[in-house]
Amino acid sequence: AAARVVRALCDYIPHYGVTKLAELAQAPKGTTSRVIALLEREALIDRKGRGDIDDVDWRQLIIRWTQDYKLLRSNPNRMLLEPRGIPGLVTKLRAIDPRKIEYAITGQMARYPLDGMLVLSRLPAIYVRSIPDAAKRLELEDVDAGANVLLLEPFDDVIMKRLRTTRDGLVYVGPSQAAADLWTSPDRGPSNAQITMNYMSEFPNEWRRRPD
């Protein structure tokens, strides 16, 4: 529930109160209120008295979230092999019937919806509802070494909310989720997270929205 509140605070532009935020986050009102109180003490949100939230420091909020959330620790995962390489995987994903495999790309490749540059990561990270089912349908192989695809099962349904689909049919997690995943990824993950958040800062209207 806390993760749902954090994602909603990042993705939705204030002003809104506890009740509206709980509705947006699909989280209990009590939990939402406690999260807001914590974040207010840490100066990550600006709130006048007990009224509506006026502002959110979403960059620092994402970094604060990653103290508790870790890509590989929080989400069940498995490393697999795409025999035809990453271009072959992308071809398969573009041809997927979403009624058969629900997926969302995260990590470095998830910058694509923001900057329009498709980066074929050495290790694409993809959320799926069922790793065994997705591995079978995508014809990925178990290997002892040389894996080039990371499949993950989302720890909570919030990861599969506010997805982005590009013109070529690829489906990605929301930018705030991608940034958190990159921040807790190995190797150059944190530096790629910074690049992603720079794009998010430059083009906020591309991913932040006002509540209905």
Side-chain angles (χ1 to χ4, degrees):
R4 295 184 179 196
V5 175
V6 169
R7 279 287 312 277
L9 283 166
C10 290
D11 295 347
Y12 291 101
I13 301 170
H15 301 271
Y16 40 70
V18 174
T19 300
K20 183 61 177 180
L21 179 60
E23 176 188 323
L24 294 169
Q26 296 183 319
K29 186 176 179 180
T31 300
T32 303
S33 182
R34 288 191 293 272
V35 172
I36 288 176
L38 170 64
L39 298 179
E40 188 175 15
R41 289 196 298 272
E42 297 186 9
L44 295 174
I45 63 173
D46 185 21
R47 187 183 183 202
K48 299 295 187 290
R50 297 181 61 84
D52 288 355
I53 296 168
D54 293 314
D55 194 21
V56 176
D57 186 346
W58 61 261
R59 290 184 72 113
Q60 292 304 314
L61 178 55
I62 289 172
I63 295 171
R64 172 61 180 85
W65 181 28
T66 60
Q67 293 179 19
D68 304 306
Y69 168 81
K70 309 293 181 186
L71 175 69
L72 298 180
R73 189 185 70 191
S74 301
N75 305 288
N77 58 85
R78 190 194 308 175
M79 304 274 284
L80 296 152
L81 174 70
E82 165 51 61
R84 294 189 296 168
I86 307 310
L89 174 67
V90 171
T91 298
K92 290 178 181 179
L93 292 174
R94 284 175 173 150
I96 278 179
D97 182 343
R99 294 170 298 181
K100 294 183 178 180
I101 303 179
E102 186 179 0
Y103 77 92
I105 300 168
T106 190
Q108 186 179 2
M109 286 180 64
R111 282 170 40 193
Y112 178 35
L114 288 169
D115 62 18
M117 296 177 62
L118 179 58
V119 178
L120 298 183
S121 170
R122 290 182 302 170
L123 183 68
I126 306 169
Y127 287 106
V128 293
R129 293 297 188 180
S130 166
I131 290 175
D133 183 55
K136 181 178 179 180
R137 291 184 180 275
L138 291 171
E139 299 178 324
L140 304 179
E141 301 176 3
D142 280 302
V143 290
D144 294 328
N148 59 3
V149 179
L150 173 64
L151 293 187
L152 308 106
E153 292 179 2
F155 80 97
D156 185 81
D157 196 53
V158 67
I159 287 177
M160 307 300 277
K161 297 295 185 182
R162 299 183 286 284
L163 302 178
R164 297 168 65 89
T165 302
T166 51
R167 293 179 182 177
D168 56 0
L170 295 176
V171 183
Y172 298 82
V173 296
S176 58
Q177 184 66 52
D181 288 342
L182 281 167
W183 200 266
T184 62
S185 294
D187 300 325
R188 293 180 55 81
S191 62
N192 279 312
Q194 291 281 15
I195 293 171
T196 297
M197 289 195 286
N198 288 342
Y199 279 111
M200 293 164 68
S201 294
E202 187 173 357
F203 303 106
N205 293 334
E206 291 294 317
W207 66 279
R208 296 193 87 196
R209 66 187 75 175
R210 295 194 180 278
D212 295 332

